C-alpha cells in the first residue's frame, strides 16, 4: 500500500483485512483484475482532484473486438444508452445459473460476454468496455463496508451529461437525480436510502481505478474459483472475518504486492 500525502493506493485501501481478501481474489494473480486492485486509489480529500478535476478523454476503441457489438446500445441520449446497457447486463445476471465451482472468471471482455456471468468484477469490466466503445468514458468503482466483513462490491462510474455518474451494471442501477450522481456525492444525495442497509453501507469506503482496454500490457488470464473463495461461499460468517484475515502471515495463497 502506498500512502503519500494521504493518497492511499493498492490492496489495503479498505484496511488490512479487506486487503487479505482482495489479495486472495479468485482471478489469476497476473491478470488485469489484480493489476486494477493494485492501482485503485481510496476516494478521500487528498485524491478527489485526481478523479474529478479533469474532463476524461475517450479511448480510441474502434479496433476493439467488441466495438461493433457495442453499437447496439447507442441510443438517442447518453442516459438512454446506459439504460439499455444496464437492462442487458442485469438480464444476463438474473438468468445466470452456474455453480461457483463450474464458473470461469476473467479473460477478455469478449470471453466474458460469450460465457456470461453474475460476478460483479467481470460484469463491470464488460460494461466499461461497451460504454467506452460507444464514446462514454468509464472507470472502476470498488466499494466496501469497513465495519462488516466480506461486504464489498464492484461497479463503475461513467462520464455523461458532462459529469460522472455511478452505474451498477450487475443490479441494473443508474444513480441519477436530475443529473448523474458521482461516487463522491452518492452518500450526500440520499439516493442510497431506498436500498437495503448492506448495499447502502457498502459505499462507506470507495476506491477508483482507471482501466485502459488498449494497454498492451494487460493480461487476460482465465481462472477458476480458488480455495479461499469456495470456502467463504460455503461458510456462515455473519459479517465477521473467519479465515484469520487479520493475520497477514497466514495467507491462504501467495499474492503479489
Amino acid at each position: 500500500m502506498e500512502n503519500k500525502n494521504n493518497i492511499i493506493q493498492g490492496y489495503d485501501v479498505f484496511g488490512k483485512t479487506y486487503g487479505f481478501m482482495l489479495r486472495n481474489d479468485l482471478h489469476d494473480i497476473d491478470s488485469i483484475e489484480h493489476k486494477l486492485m493494485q492501482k485503485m486509489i481510496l476516494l478521500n480529500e487528498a485524491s478527489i482532484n485526481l478523479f474529478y478535476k479533469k474532463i476524461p478523454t475517450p479511448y480510441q476503441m474502434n479496433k476493439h473486438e467488441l466495438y461493433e457489438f457495442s453499437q447496439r446500445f447507442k441510443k438517442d441520449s447518453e442516459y438512454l444508452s446506459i439504460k439499455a446497457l444496464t437492462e442487458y447486463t442485469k438480464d444476463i445476471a438474473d438468468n445466470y445459473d452456474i455453480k461457483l465451482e463450474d464458473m470461469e472468471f476473467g479473460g477478455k471482455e469478449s470471453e466474458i460476454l460469450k460465457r456470461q456471468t453474475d460476478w460483479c468484477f467481470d460484469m463491470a469490466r464488460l460494461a466499461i468496455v461497451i460504454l467506452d466503445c460507444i464514446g462514454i468514458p468509464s472507470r472502476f468503482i470498488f466499494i466496501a463496508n469497513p465495519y462488516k466483513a466480506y461486504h464489498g462490491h464492484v461497479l463503475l462510474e461513467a462520464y455523461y451529461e458532462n459529469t460522472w455518474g455511478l452505474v451498477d451494471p450487475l443490479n441494473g442501477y443508474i444513480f441519477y437525480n436530475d443529473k448523474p450522481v458521482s461516487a463522491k456525492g452518492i452518500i450526500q444525495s440520499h439516493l442510497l436510502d431506498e436500498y437495503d442497509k448492506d448495499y447502502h453501507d457498502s459505499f462507506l469506503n470507495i476506491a477508483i481505478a482507471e482501466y485502459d482496454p488498449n494497454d498492451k500490457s494487460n493480461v487476460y488470464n482465465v481462472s477458476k474459483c480458488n480455495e479461499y473463495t469456495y470456502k467463504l461461499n460455503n461458510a456462515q460468517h455473519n459479517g465477521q472475518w473467519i479465515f484469520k484475515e487479520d493475520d497477514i502471515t497466514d495467507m491462504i495463497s501467495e499474492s503479489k504486492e
Side-chain angles (χ1 to χ4, degrees):
M1 178 179 70
E2 295 182 7
N3 192 338
K4 298 177 181 178
N5 299 320
N6 294 319
I7 297 291
I8 302 172
Q9 179 176 0
Y11 287 113
D12 295 336
V13 294
F14 303 134
K16 291 291 184 180
T17 47
Y18 269 101
F20 182 109
M21 185 184 81
L22 295 175
R23 286 180 176 86
N24 284 277
D25 179 86
L26 48 67
H27 290 91
D28 183 87
I29 190 62
D30 293 316
S31 68
I32 182 61
E33 285 79 13
H34 277 273
K35 179 180 177 181
L36 287 162
M37 288 187 285
Q38 291 159 16
K39 286 173 54 180
M40 67 179 173
I41 295 174
L42 186 70
L43 181 60
N44 59 18
E45 290 300 318
S47 67
I48 196 166
N49 284 338
L50 290 175
F51 299 114
Y52 294 101
K53 192 172 183 179
K54 295 181 180 179
I55 296 175
T57 301
Y59 293 112
Q60 296 298 314
M61 299 292 288
N62 59 310
K63 293 185 179 180
H64 193 279
E65 58 187 347
L66 289 186
Y67 180 80
E68 294 299 332
F69 169 82
S70 301
Q71 301 314 303
R72 69 184 63 188
F73 298 104
K74 200 165 187 177
K75 307 300 179 183
D76 292 339
S77 71
E78 292 173 319
Y79 177 85
L80 290 176
S81 298
I82 293 172
K83 185 173 185 290
L85 174 60
T86 55
E87 288 174 350
Y88 178 79
T89 53
K90 182 179 186 300
D91 184 66
I92 288 175
D94 287 348
N95 290 285
Y96 188 79
D97 187 24
I98 296 180
K99 293 180 180 179
L100 182 62
E101 57 267 32
D102 296 327
M103 291 176 66
E104 291 184 335
F105 305 89
K108 294 181 178 180
E109 288 85 22
S110 59
E111 294 176 282
I112 297 172
L113 177 64
K114 182 177 180 179
R115 69 170 182 256
Q116 304 196 341
T117 189
D118 64 355
W119 201 257
C120 62
F121 206 158
D122 286 11
M123 187 67 86
R125 181 152 62 83
L126 174 62
I128 283 172
V129 161
I130 291 175
L131 290 175
D132 282 343
C133 283
I134 60 174
I136 300 176
S138 303
R139 60 194 181 190
F140 279 95
I141 298 293
F142 298 85
I143 60 176
N145 181 352
Y147 306 110
K148 210 166 185 179
Y150 313 114
H151 278 66
H153 186 44
V154 185
L155 57 160
L156 65 88
E157 201 172 37
Y159 191 82
Y160 68 108
E161 297 184 10
N162 301 311
T163 191
W164 287 101
L166 280 171
V167 178
D168 186 340
L170 188 74
N171 293 303
Y173 303 151
I174 303 173
F175 295 94
Y176 195 97
N177 187 10
D178 297 325
K179 64 179 182 178
V181 176
S182 67
K184 71 174 182 177
I186 189 62
I187 297 296
Q188 291 78 12
S189 74
H190 299 290
L191 286 180
L192 291 171
D193 294 349
E194 63 185 84
Y195 299 97
D196 66 71
K197 182 174 174 55
D198 278 343
Y199 190 79
H200 177 288
D201 290 351
S202 292
F203 287 84
L204 291 175
N205 277 178
I206 299 172
I208 301 176
E210 304 283 354
Y211 171 48
D212 179 358
N214 297 324
D215 188 339
K216 295 187 184 302
S217 69
N218 293 342
V219 176
Y220 295 105
N221 291 342
V222 176
S223 62
K224 299 284 285 186
C225 183
N226 61 19
E227 181 183 6
Y228 175 79
T229 308
Y230 185 78
K231 286 182 176 179
L232 175 59
N233 190 67
N234 288 281
Q236 294 291 329
H237 58 78
N238 297 316
Q240 303 297 314
W241 299 105
I242 58 175
F243 292 128
K244 298 183 180 179
E245 283 89 351
D246 56 347
D247 184 354
I248 210 70
T249 65
D250 191 34
M251 282 197 175
I252 293 175
S253 64
E254 290 294 328
S255 301
K256 292 182 179 180
E257 286 291 341

